[in-house]
Amino acid sequence: MEPSPAPVCPSSSTAQTASAVVRPWSRALGTPRGRLPGIVSTAEIVKRPRRWVTAVVWALVVPVLAWALLRRSGWEPGFWWGQWVSFTPYVAAVSLGVVLLALVLRRWPAGTVAIVAAGTLLGAVAPRALPDTNPLARGQVLRVLTANLRLGSVPPRALVDLVRRLHIDVLTVQELTPEAAVGLYSAGLPALLPGSVTYPAPRSHGSGIYARFPLHEGSPIEIGAFRQEQADADLPDGRSVHIVSVHPCAPAQPSMAKCWAAGLRALPAADGRMRILAGDFNATLDHAGLRRLLATGYRDAADVTGEGLVSTWPYYGRKAETVPPVTLDHVLADRRIALHRFETLALPHTDHRATYTELALP
């Protein structure tokens, strides 16, 4: 048997010839010297996805940071931000996921920025779930109920039954129509709450205050056809407490934004009088206008009792299917008043939850 021929190694002249063929192609196509077109090194294959992942992480971090800075600054640049800022508690929850993603992927600069943004948001939102201390208050105990009647569509009997069951002392209503006012009267509300200051009006413009005590009508706040009733209630101990049924314009469209902001600004600041503001503020604790009002000396009942993340709207109609629920209905009281209990209650045919607050005057 004949021996196999020995393998032939390319001569140096052959290798030089191949190199000479490759170089012109490399120069012409802009590829690194000695590499044929379309050939990518292993290092580049690994590096390109890493750059892509970094870009994605930053694309998540930057909006969260911008949200945190805008919310903290109190600047509300336009109508849409006034809508979006209501959802800050949801963004605060999402920010935790962004932090976790950045750290798991070892994007340390992005992770650091995400931690700062998440800390800012959580610092604003998380305390609402923690109860605060109360001042020592041993005066008159008041049970306050507030209800948005949604264009007067809440069945009067349902509201009167709730007033009776909870032994309500003060009731504020929003969107009180003439038909709703007559219905409440016929359902027996005056027997439970004989004092009343009301302004029934078509659609969403009316409001009212009912109380177990005598009421004296104050100057109503009227902006953009929305009327916010004010009254002084004479208490059994001889003192009085000022009550406002709150309902500024709903900023449902850009043309209503100025009316809404003006309605919030028109609410009385805490000035030493015993005062309770109760109703549909059309604002959350993340809106700068409501925060400015609180800073004058009020406390929010839901926030004080650790229920500040409980939402009140929307719970009926088409928006209930598409809009995440937020907290628009509040009870504010000056800092001398102790706030002991807050809860939300369902009423039929309204997109707002009624709110029940138990408080004690100094």
Side-chain angles (χ1 to χ4, degrees):
M1 184 173 67
E2 296 181 0
S4 301
V8 179
C9 295
S11 64
S12 59
S13 61
T14 305
Q16 290 173 357
T17 301
S19 177
V21 171
V22 170
R23 282 196 201 103
W25 283 100
S26 299
R27 286 194 297 269
L29 297 175
T31 58
R33 184 175 179 181
R35 186 190 306 169
L36 289 173
I39 305 299
V40 181
S41 69
T42 303
E44 288 183 333
I45 292 174
V46 174
K47 193 173 184 180
R48 286 179 184 176
R50 288 180 177 175
R51 290 176 179 171
W52 178 79
V53 169
T54 300
V56 169
V57 171
W58 274 111
L60 295 173
V61 170
V62 169
V64 172
L65 177 64
W67 194 294
L69 294 177
L70 272 177
R71 193 271 174 201
R72 183 176 177 82
S73 72
W75 180 47
E76 295 183 346
F79 167 76
W80 291 111
W81 174 249
Q83 299 277 306
W84 297 339
V85 74
S86 302
F87 305 108
T88 294
Y90 296 98
V91 177
V94 170
S95 71
L96 293 176
V98 175
V99 169
L100 182 61
L101 179 67
L103 296 182
V104 166
L105 295 176
R106 296 188 176 186
R107 276 18 184 211
W108 308 124
T112 301
V113 174
I115 289 172
V116 172
T120 301
L121 292 171
L122 291 172
V125 171
R128 300 174 200 174
L130 304 174
D132 295 340
T133 58
N134 269 310
L136 183 62
R138 297 177 178 175
Q140 176 79 42
V141 173
L142 294 180
R143 291 170 290 272
V144 179
L145 182 70
T146 181
N148 182 310
L149 304 184
R150 192 175 181 266
L151 309 179
S153 61
V154 171
R157 177 64 61 183
L159 181 56
V160 172
D161 287 346
L162 190 60
V163 168
R164 181 181 293 108
R165 177 167 61 87
L166 296 175
H167 305 286
I168 295 301
D169 298 302
V170 175
L171 167 68
T172 69
V173 292
Q174 300 80 50
E175 304 193 15
L176 177 68
T177 62
E179 296 78 10
V182 171
L184 290 173
Y185 182 89
S186 300
L189 185 60
L192 302 172
L193 303 176
S196 66
V197 171
T198 63
Y199 178 74
R203 297 189 61 77
S204 57
H205 299 152
S207 70
I209 303 171
Y210 299 87
R212 197 178 297 276
F213 320 107
L215 292 177
H216 304 283
E217 185 174 5
S219 299
I221 301 169
E222 291 187 87
I223 296 176
F226 280 70
R227 180 155 166 153
Q228 305 181 81
E229 285 293 346
Q230 301 191 79
D232 291 301
D234 291 338
L235 303 178
D237 62 5
R239 297 185 297 171
S240 67
V241 59
H242 187 70
I243 301 166
V244 183
S245 178
V246 178
H247 193 214
C249 305
Q253 51 192 356
S255 61
M256 300 294 287
K258 289 184 178 180
C259 171
W260 165 73
L264 281 178
R265 286 195 302 269
L267 292 171
D271 56 5
R273 295 181 66 184
M274 283 197 299
R275 183 178 283 119
I276 299 167
L277 312 183
D280 172 13
F281 285 69
N282 278 314
T284 71
L285 294 177
D286 296 298
H287 284 96
L290 182 52
R291 301 208 313 269
R292 282 191 291 268
L293 180 62
L294 285 164
T296 67
Y298 290 113
R299 299 193 305 161
D300 179 85
D303 184 35
V304 170
T305 56
E307 302 293 337
L309 295 178
V310 176
S311 54
T312 65
W313 177 90
Y315 283 97
Y316 184 79
R318 288 178 296 177
K319 289 186 178 179
E321 301 173 358
T322 57
V323 178
V326 295
T327 308
L328 300 182
D329 302 81
H330 306 269
V331 173
L332 308 188
D334 78 62
R335 291 174 179 170
R336 298 168 299 166
I337 297 175
L339 299 161
H340 294 302
R341 182 181 173 189
F342 178 90
E343 63 178 293
T344 61
L345 303 160
L347 281 171
H349 303 163
T350 177
D351 49 352
H352 286 258
R353 289 285 193 250
T355 72
Y356 169 78
T357 303
E358 187 174 307
L359 53 85
L361 302 178

